[in-house]
Amino acid sequence: MDAQGRGRGENIDPADQWVLNPNTGEYELRLSPSAPQSPIPAPRGQRNPGAGNPRGRSASPDRATERPGRASPERETPGRDVPPQRRRRGAQEEEPPAGRRGRRPAKKDKKTKKVLLWTSGTVAFVVLAAGVGGYLYLEHLNDNITSVSDDGASTGGFKKDQAINILLIGTDKRTGAGNEGYGDKGSEGHADTTILLHVSKDRSNATALSIPRDLIVDIPDCPTQQEDGSEKIIPGSVGARFNTSLGQGGRTPSCTMRTVTELTGIKPDNFMVADFNAVKTLTTAVGGVEVCLGKDINDPDSHLNLPKGTHRIEGEEALAFVRTRHSVGLGGDLSRIELQQQFLSSLMRELKSNDTLTSPSKMIKLAEAGTEALTVDSQLNSINKLKDLGLELGKLNVKNLTFTTIPVIDNPAEKIKATVVLDQTKAPEVFDLIRNDVSFTEVKQKQKQEKAAVAARLKGEKAPASEVRVRILNGGAPAGSAQSTLSWLQVDQGVGKSENAGNAPAELAKTTLEYAPDQADQARRLADIMGLSASALKPGESVTNSQGLPAMTLTLGKDFKGAGVSLTPPDKAPDDIKKSTADKVVCAE
């Protein structure tokens, strides 16, 4: 029977029989006080149970919608079916069949649901916490985000199918809520703690490279967007401390990004900046992180006062921990870096723990704290973008995240040692490892097999140099590189069947040699002469040279360093590089 137009002249909509259960917070279908109730959500658009009632009243469950002389649902004979409700025209929800309890929606597997909801929270550092709330109240979190222009210093943002390089900057800026009472009041801040986080293309490993604040570097000129939208070039500095790449003279994080590119040859995809307050709020949001001290520490400068052993710290105490330096190691910034790496390792483990991932309250606190405490670049200025980054970074296993520091030595130009310079015997190799996406930890068996397959390209017979036919293109190398390489090959190496083919259609990051299957022996000979790695060899097709004969294509990329200079990168981190992984607890001394 249709419920509308019946009874005492009232029009009672079936939607009015959906009532809110105060115990569950869900709408339930109530056919009568004695009838079973179903926790099926109310039909879309009917959040108000009384919404369909022309008089503005919702039907009371004690009120029968009956005609005189007809039995109400309350007076139905026991065991007799309740007459079915007819679906209102245009309604989107099916009414439960007559006499049957309304069906509950099928429950999703709890584990699957958690994975879908919280995956973006499985991330490594304080900066990654901004992505964990990617599925929660997006507009509110978007309003929390502060972004500044990357000024063209980035790659344009990370890509899901490429290796990722994120510049993480901890500033000692004294201004802003929660930052009072530290150091010089009113300071514009410096790049006090800087980490270049490299995540491998296959997401199997990552390297967190700390950059000492007192490292002497050349800071390039920095085109910088001003508040009125105009651009101003902030002059660079030669032989300056790295930490002055931010805050000083109007320098923004994009200038720190340019300085890192100049220093390492690695162009970051994005940057994130955290101040003092970020450490306090984020550690509090996760309920603290565990750290270990190998001795008692009482540092009046940082206000850290903890006995030897393991401690769970948060808030002000966590900030004191990452700021202390006089009481650990040699009492300098390099010793403090090791403390900070221990802290970040612990925070990552906490973020990826079940206690965090299965706690909605912690995840919400992290989302709030992260979006409020961090400043990101203009390519990363929404929760959706942060969520996508969090999902990529969340694929990492803590045992394959390596912390290390740029190899440095004391500045030989100083009598009283206050700054450091690059260790030229070790630092270039570390930069090459990261540029070439080489893991600092032992790779999985699958990666080993893939590397072995690539290495096999160099194994086999090599054709005589006189039989090698190759066209040379400049694909990003310095001007004149194709011609100088041609001359070197012909005059010094006996590769007479080579020619300069001009510029490549597009620039390449790395030098490549493309060849057809029947040219493999020629490719192996040229790779041996040029010092090309197996990964530079690209099986493909031949091209026709100026004589109409098939030839290989050698494209000189941005990594090209000159004719005769080997392009074979290291395949593993050197044993004498000091490093640690995020899965291990290291007690600071």
Side-chain angles (χ1 to χ4, degrees):
M1 182 186 339
D2 191 341
Q4 296 187 29
R6 315 293 295 186
R8 301 178 178 85
E10 293 187 16
N11 294 326
I12 299 180
D13 195 300
D16 292 344
Q17 297 185 9
W18 291 91
V19 297
L20 182 67
N21 185 332
N23 296 321
T24 65
E26 296 180 310
Y27 286 103
E28 301 178 355
L29 182 64
R30 188 189 296 273
L31 297 177
S32 73
S34 60
Q37 299 173 18
S38 168
I40 304 174
R44 184 176 300 173
Q46 297 293 339
R47 294 184 180 180
N48 181 355
N53 189 327
R55 298 186 181 181
R57 299 196 303 264
S58 61
S60 168
D62 295 325
R63 243 174 129 171
T65 57
E66 54 178 313
R67 295 182 66 180
R70 295 182 65 89
S72 70
E74 290 88 337
R75 295 196 292 268
E76 288 292 327
T77 303
R80 184 175 177 182
D81 288 345
V82 178
Q85 298 279 351
R86 289 181 60 188
R87 190 174 73 169
R88 186 172 47 153
R89 183 174 300 171
Q92 297 182 4
E93 300 284 337
E94 290 289 337
E95 300 292 339
R100 294 185 184 178
R101 182 172 179 166
R103 283 179 143 184
R104 293 176 180 268
K107 290 186 177 181
K108 293 183 178 180
D109 180 80
K110 289 184 178 180
K111 184 176 181 182
T112 302
K113 185 176 181 181
K114 288 175 182 175
V115 170
L116 290 174
L117 189 59
W118 305 124
T119 297
S120 63
T122 57
V123 290
F125 302 100
V126 291
V127 296
L128 309 184
V132 300
Y135 298 101
L136 307 174
Y137 50 97
L138 300 184
E139 290 305 316
H140 167 69
L141 295 181
N142 276 326
D143 291 341
N144 284 352
I145 297 172
T146 300
S147 67
V148 295
S149 176
D150 69 345
D151 296 315
S154 74
T155 62
F158 78 94
K159 298 177 178 61
K160 294 182 180 180
D161 59 347
Q162 299 294 326
I164 298 174
N165 293 295
I166 305 293
L167 190 63
L168 314 177
I169 306 170
T171 176
D172 60 354
K173 186 174 182 179
R174 274 49 168 162
T175 57
N179 295 318
E180 306 89 350
Y182 305 106
D184 301 327
K185 192 172 183 179
S187 168
E188 289 298 321
H190 305 76
D192 197 52
T193 300
T194 306
I195 294 175
L196 178 62
L197 175 65
H198 171 84
V199 184
S200 67
K201 182 177 179 179
D202 64 5
R203 308 296 185 255
S204 68
N205 64 89
T207 303
L209 182 67
S210 293
I211 304 174
R213 69 173 191 175
D214 296 325
L215 176 64
I216 297 299
V217 297
D218 291 339
I219 300 175
D221 291 345
C222 300
T224 305
Q225 186 178 46
Q226 305 299 296
E227 290 185 3
D228 61 3
S230 63
E231 183 180 282
K232 177 181 179 181
I233 296 180
I234 309 298
S237 302
V238 176
R241 270 186 168 92
F242 176 83
N243 67 345
T244 60
S245 64
L246 175 68
Q248 309 308 298
R251 291 174 180 145
T252 66
S254 68
C255 193
T256 305
M257 185 178 277
R258 293 183 194 278
T259 305
V260 169
T261 302
E262 185 91 2
L263 174 68
T264 66
I266 302 164
K267 193 170 189 176
D269 300 305
N270 300 97
F271 65 71
M272 292 180 170
V273 183
D275 60 13
F276 292 127
N277 209 32
V279 176
K280 295 187 291 184
T281 58
L282 289 168
T283 53
T284 300
V286 297
V289 297
E290 284 194 353
V291 296
C292 181
L293 297 177
K295 63 178 182 180
D296 297 345
I297 290 183
N298 186 358
D299 185 350
D301 292 321
S302 69
H303 308 297
L304 180 67
N305 187 1
L306 289 174
K308 176 181 177 180
T310 301
H311 307 274
R312 179 167 286 271
I313 59 174
E314 63 179 83
E316 290 286 349
E317 198 167 41
L319 179 58
F321 182 85
V322 298
R323 292 184 66 232
T324 196
R325 56 175 172 151
H326 298 304
S327 300
V328 292
L330 299 176
D333 186 53
L334 296 180
S335 298
R336 184 179 65 160
I337 285 175
E338 294 179 14
L339 272 183
Q340 293 168 346
Q341 291 175 348
Q342 180 197 157
F343 171 83
L344 291 172
S345 294
S346 180
L347 181 56
M348 177 181 180
R349 292 193 297 273
E350 196 67 39
L351 285 169
K352 290 182 74 80
S353 71
N354 287 333
D355 288 345
T356 299
L357 297 179
T358 59
S359 170
S361 62
K362 282 188 178 181
M363 301 301 283
I364 292 174
K365 288 178 182 178
L366 278 168
E368 291 284 354
T371 52
E372 288 179 354
L374 303 173
T375 297
V376 299
D377 68 88
S378 49
Q379 308 295 335
L380 202 61
N381 60 355
S382 74
I383 276 296
N384 278 333
K385 293 178 182 178
L386 287 168
K387 180 260 296 179
D388 287 343
L389 177 60
L391 289 171
E392 294 303 309
L393 298 172
K395 298 173 183 178
L396 291 172
N397 188 316
V398 291
K399 70 178 182 180
N400 291 322
L401 170 62
T402 303
F403 286 92
T404 190
T405 304
I406 291 180
V408 295
I409 59 174
D410 288 333
N411 190 345
E414 297 175 337
K415 291 183 178 179
I416 300 177
K417 305 304 180 184
T419 61
V420 293
V421 296
L422 285 184
D423 182 342
Q424 294 295 347
T425 65
K426 297 179 181 179
E429 187 175 4
V430 170
F431 300 153
D432 278 346
L433 286 166
I434 295 175
R435 278 196 300 265
N436 289 283
D437 204 20
V438 177
S439 175
F440 278 62
T441 58
E442 188 173 349
V443 295
K444 298 177 182 178
Q445 186 62 30
K446 181 180 178 182
Q447 279 79 45
K448 288 182 179 179
Q449 293 172 350
E450 290 173 349
K451 286 190 174 185
V454 172
R457 298 172 188 170
L458 294 176
K459 296 178 180 178
E461 294 185 2
K462 300 181 180 69
S466 59
E467 294 182 7
V468 174
R469 288 191 298 271
V470 61
R471 298 173 72 246
I472 306 169
L473 291 86
N474 190 328
S481 293
Q483 185 58 43
S484 62
T485 301
L486 175 66
S487 299
W488 178 75
L489 286 174
Q490 290 182 340
V491 176
D492 297 337
Q493 304 300 320
V495 185
K497 298 177 181 178
S498 51
E499 60 184 44
N500 184 350
N503 291 326
E507 292 188 352
L508 301 179
K510 297 180 180 180
T511 297
T512 61
L513 175 62
E514 185 176 359
Y515 59 96
D518 61 352
Q519 297 171 318
D521 57 342
Q522 296 182 46
R524 286 190 284 267
R525 173 58 66 190
L526 189 59
D528 184 55
I529 293 172
M530 294 284 299
L532 300 178
S533 66
S535 62
L537 273 60
K538 305 296 181 185
E541 299 178 351
S542 64
V543 294
T544 302
N545 66 11
S546 58
Q547 280 82 43
L549 299 173
M552 301 182 295
T553 301
L554 175 65
T555 305
L556 306 178
K558 295 179 181 179
D559 64 336
F560 183 73
K561 301 173 183 177
V565 180
S566 176
L567 290 174
T568 301
D571 59 359
K572 67 174 185 177
D575 294 333
D576 57 351
I577 293 294
K578 190 172 183 179
K579 56 185 183 292
S580 63
T581 52
D583 61 324
K584 293 181 173 64
V585 178
V586 180
C587 295
E589 294 285 350

Short mmCIF file of all heavy atoms in Angstrom, two decimals, residues 478-509:
data_model
loop_
_atom_site.label_atom_id
_atom_site.label_comp_id
_atom_site.label_asym_id
_atom_site.label_seq_id
_atom_site.Cartn_x
_atom_site.Cartn_y
_atom_site.Cartn_z
N PRO A 478 78.00 20.14 -23.35
CA PRO A 478 78.49 21.49 -23.70
C PRO A 478 78.64 21.66 -25.21
O PRO A 478 78.90 20.69 -25.94
CB PRO A 478 79.84 21.55 -22.98
CG PRO A 478 79.71 20.59 -21.83
CD PRO A 478 78.85 19.48 -22.34
N ALA A 479 78.47 22.88 -25.68
CA ALA A 479 78.58 23.17 -27.12
C ALA A 479 79.93 22.69 -27.66
O ALA A 479 80.97 22.88 -27.02
CB ALA A 479 78.41 24.67 -27.35
N GLY A 480 79.90 22.09 -28.82
CA GLY A 480 81.13 21.62 -29.45
C GLY A 480 81.53 20.21 -29.05
O GLY A 480 82.53 19.68 -29.56
N SER A 481 80.74 19.58 -28.16
CA SER A 481 81.11 18.26 -27.68
C SER A 481 81.07 17.19 -28.77
O SER A 481 81.91 16.29 -28.82
CB SER A 481 80.20 17.84 -26.52
OG SER A 481 80.41 18.64 -25.39
N ALA A 482 80.08 17.29 -29.67
CA ALA A 482 79.96 16.30 -30.73
C ALA A 482 81.18 16.34 -31.65
O ALA A 482 81.73 15.31 -32.04
CB ALA A 482 78.67 16.52 -31.52
N GLN A 483 81.62 17.55 -31.99
CA GLN A 483 82.76 17.68 -32.90
C GLN A 483 84.06 17.24 -32.22
O GLN A 483 84.88 16.54 -32.84
CB GLN A 483 82.89 19.13 -33.38
CG GLN A 483 83.98 19.35 -34.42
CD GLN A 483 83.79 18.50 -35.67
OE1 GLN A 483 82.66 18.39 -36.17
NE2 GLN A 483 84.86 17.90 -36.18
N SER A 484 84.24 17.60 -30.96
CA SER A 484 85.47 17.21 -30.27
C SER A 484 85.52 15.69 -30.07
O SER A 484 86.59 15.07 -30.17
CB SER A 484 85.58 17.92 -28.92
OG SER A 484 84.52 17.56 -28.06
N THR A 485 84.37 15.09 -29.82
CA THR A 485 84.32 13.63 -29.68
C THR A 485 84.61 12.94 -31.00
O THR A 485 85.31 11.92 -31.06
CB THR A 485 82.95 13.19 -29.14
OG1 THR A 485 82.72 13.81 -27.87
CG2 THR A 485 82.87 11.68 -28.97
N LEU A 486 84.06 13.51 -32.09
CA LEU A 486 84.32 12.96 -33.42
C LEU A 486 85.82 12.96 -33.73
O LEU A 486 86.38 11.95 -34.18
CB LEU A 486 83.56 13.76 -34.48
CG LEU A 486 83.82 13.39 -35.94
CD1 LEU A 486 83.32 11.99 -36.24
CD2 LEU A 486 83.16 14.41 -36.88
N SER A 487 86.45 14.08 -33.48
CA SER A 487 87.90 14.19 -33.75
C SER A 487 88.69 13.19 -32.91
O SER A 487 89.62 12.54 -33.40
CB SER A 487 88.38 15.61 -33.46
OG SER A 487 87.71 16.54 -34.28
N TRP A 488 88.31 13.06 -31.65
CA TRP A 488 89.01 12.13 -30.75
C TRP A 488 88.85 10.69 -31.21
O TRP A 488 89.80 9.91 -31.22
CB TRP A 488 88.47 12.32 -29.33
CG TRP A 488 89.07 11.40 -28.31
CD1 TRP A 488 90.31 11.47 -27.76
CD2 TRP A 488 88.42 10.26 -27.72
NE1 TRP A 488 90.49 10.44 -26.86
CE2 TRP A 488 89.35 9.69 -26.82
CE3 TRP A 488 87.17 9.67 -27.87
CZ2 TRP A 488 89.05 8.55 -26.07
CZ3 TRP A 488 86.86 8.55 -27.12
CH2 TRP A 488 87.80 8.00 -26.23
N LEU A 489 87.63 10.33 -31.62
CA LEU A 489 87.38 8.96 -32.08
C LEU A 489 88.15 8.65 -33.36
O LEU A 489 88.74 7.57 -33.50
CB LEU A 489 85.88 8.75 -32.32
CG LEU A 489 84.99 8.62 -31.07
CD1 LEU A 489 83.52 8.55 -31.46
CD2 LEU A 489 85.37 7.40 -30.25
N GLN A 490 88.15 9.60 -34.29
CA GLN A 490 88.80 9.34 -35.59
C GLN A 490 90.32 9.35 -35.48
O GLN A 490 91.01 8.47 -36.01
CB GLN A 490 88.34 10.38 -36.62
CG GLN A 490 86.88 10.22 -37.04
CD GLN A 490 86.46 11.23 -38.08
OE1 GLN A 490 87.10 12.28 -38.25
NE2 GLN A 490 85.39 10.94 -38.80
N VAL A 491 90.86 10.34 -34.78
CA VAL A 491 92.32 10.53 -34.74
C VAL A 491 92.97 9.60 -33.71
O VAL A 491 93.99 8.95 -34.00
CB VAL A 491 92.67 12.00 -34.44
CG1 VAL A 491 94.18 12.17 -34.29
CG2 VAL A 491 92.12 12.91 -35.51
N ASP A 492 92.39 9.54 -32.51
CA ASP A 492 93.05 8.81 -31.42
C ASP A 492 92.60 7.36 -31.27
O ASP A 492 93.34 6.53 -30.74
CB ASP A 492 92.82 9.52 -30.08
CG ASP A 492 93.44 10.92 -30.07
OD1 ASP A 492 94.37 11.17 -30.85
OD2 ASP A 492 92.97 11.75 -29.27
N GLN A 493 91.36 7.06 -31.70
CA GLN A 493 90.82 5.73 -31.44
C GLN A 493 90.58 4.89 -32.69
O GLN A 493 90.17 3.73 -32.57
CB GLN A 493 89.50 5.86 -30.65
CG GLN A 493 89.62 6.64 -29.36
CD GLN A 493 90.60 6.01 -28.39
OE1 GLN A 493 90.65 4.79 -28.25
NE2 GLN A 493 91.40 6.83 -27.71
N GLY A 494 90.80 5.43 -33.85
CA GLY A 494 90.66 4.67 -35.09
C GLY A 494 89.24 4.37 -35.51
O GLY A 494 89.01 3.43 -36.30
N VAL A 495 88.28 5.13 -35.01
CA VAL A 495 86.88 4.95 -35.41
C VAL A 495 86.62 5.89 -36.59
O VAL A 495 86.03 6.96 -36.45
CB VAL A 495 85.92 5.23 -34.24
CG1 VAL A 495 84.47 4.91 -34.64
CG2 VAL A 495 86.30 4.42 -33.01
N GLY A 496 87.07 5.47 -37.77
CA GLY A 496 87.01 6.34 -38.94
C GLY A 496 85.62 6.48 -39.52
O GLY A 496 85.33 7.47 -40.20
N LYS A 497 84.74 5.52 -39.27
CA LYS A 497 83.40 5.57 -39.85
C LYS A 497 82.42 6.26 -38.89
O LYS A 497 81.36 5.75 -38.55
CB LYS A 497 82.92 4.16 -40.17
CG LYS A 497 83.79 3.45 -41.20
CD LYS A 497 83.33 2.03 -41.42
CE LYS A 497 84.23 1.32 -42.44
NZ LYS A 497 83.82 -0.10 -42.64
N SER A 498 82.81 7.42 -38.43
CA SER A 498 81.99 8.20 -37.50
C SER A 498 81.73 9.56 -38.10
O SER A 498 82.53 10.05 -38.92
CB SER A 498 82.68 8.34 -36.14
OG SER A 498 84.00 8.81 -36.31
N GLU A 499 80.63 10.20 -37.71
CA GLU A 499 80.29 11.52 -38.26
C GLU A 499 79.49 12.32 -37.26
O GLU A 499 78.81 11.77 -36.38
CB GLU A 499 79.51 11.38 -39.57
CG GLU A 499 78.20 10.63 -39.44
CD GLU A 499 77.52 10.44 -40.79
OE1 GLU A 499 78.20 10.09 -41.77
OE2 GLU A 499 76.29 10.65 -40.83
N ASN A 500 79.60 13.65 -37.40
CA ASN A 500 78.86 14.58 -36.55
C ASN A 500 77.49 14.82 -37.16
O ASN A 500 77.39 15.30 -38.28
CB ASN A 500 79.64 15.90 -36.44
CG ASN A 500 78.98 16.89 -35.50
OD1 ASN A 500 77.86 16.70 -35.05
ND2 ASN A 500 79.70 17.98 -35.21
N ALA A 501 76.42 14.48 -36.40
CA ALA A 501 75.05 14.63 -36.91
C ALA A 501 74.34 15.84 -36.32
O ALA A 501 73.12 15.98 -36.47
CB ALA A 501 74.26 13.36 -36.64
N GLY A 502 75.08 16.71 -35.62
CA GLY A 502 74.48 17.93 -35.09
C GLY A 502 73.79 17.74 -33.75
O GLY A 502 74.21 16.92 -32.93
N ASN A 503 72.73 18.51 -33.54
CA ASN A 503 72.02 18.48 -32.25
C ASN A 503 70.89 17.45 -32.27
O ASN A 503 70.23 17.24 -33.29
CB ASN A 503 71.43 19.85 -31.92
CG ASN A 503 72.50 20.87 -31.61
OD1 ASN A 503 73.55 20.54 -31.05
ND2 ASN A 503 72.27 22.12 -32.01
N ALA A 504 70.67 16.82 -31.12
CA ALA A 504 69.59 15.86 -30.98
C ALA A 504 68.25 16.59 -30.88
O ALA A 504 68.21 17.78 -30.52
CB ALA A 504 69.82 15.01 -29.72
N PRO A 505 67.15 15.93 -31.20
CA PRO A 505 65.83 16.58 -31.12
C PRO A 505 65.50 17.05 -29.71
O PRO A 505 64.76 18.02 -29.53
CB PRO A 505 64.86 15.47 -31.57
CG PRO A 505 65.70 14.51 -32.34
CD PRO A 505 67.06 14.56 -31.73
N ALA A 506 66.02 16.35 -28.70
CA ALA A 506 65.73 16.72 -27.31
C ALA A 506 66.94 16.45 -26.44
O ALA A 506 67.79 15.62 -26.78
CB ALA A 506 64.52 15.94 -26.79
N GLU A 507 67.04 17.16 -25.33
CA GLU A 507 68.16 16.96 -24.42
C GLU A 507 67.93 15.72 -23.56
O GLU A 507 66.80 15.39 -23.21
CB GLU A 507 68.34 18.19 -23.52
CG GLU A 507 68.81 19.43 -24.27
CD GLU A 507 69.17 20.55 -23.33
OE1 GLU A 507 68.91 20.43 -22.12
OE2 GLU A 507 69.73 21.56 -23.80
N LEU A 508 69.02 15.05 -23.23
CA LEU A 508 68.98 13.86 -22.39
C LEU A 508 69.82 14.09 -21.14
O LEU A 508 70.85 14.76 -21.20
CB LEU A 508 69.50 12.64 -23.14
CG LEU A 508 68.78 12.22 -24.43
CD1 LEU A 508 69.47 11.01 -25.04
CD2 LEU A 508 67.31 11.92 -24.15
N ALA A 509 69.39 13.51 -20.04
CA ALA A 509 70.17 13.62 -18.81
C ALA A 509 71.44 12.78 -18.91
O ALA A 509 72.49 13.16 -18.40
CB ALA A 509 69.34 13.18 -17.61
#
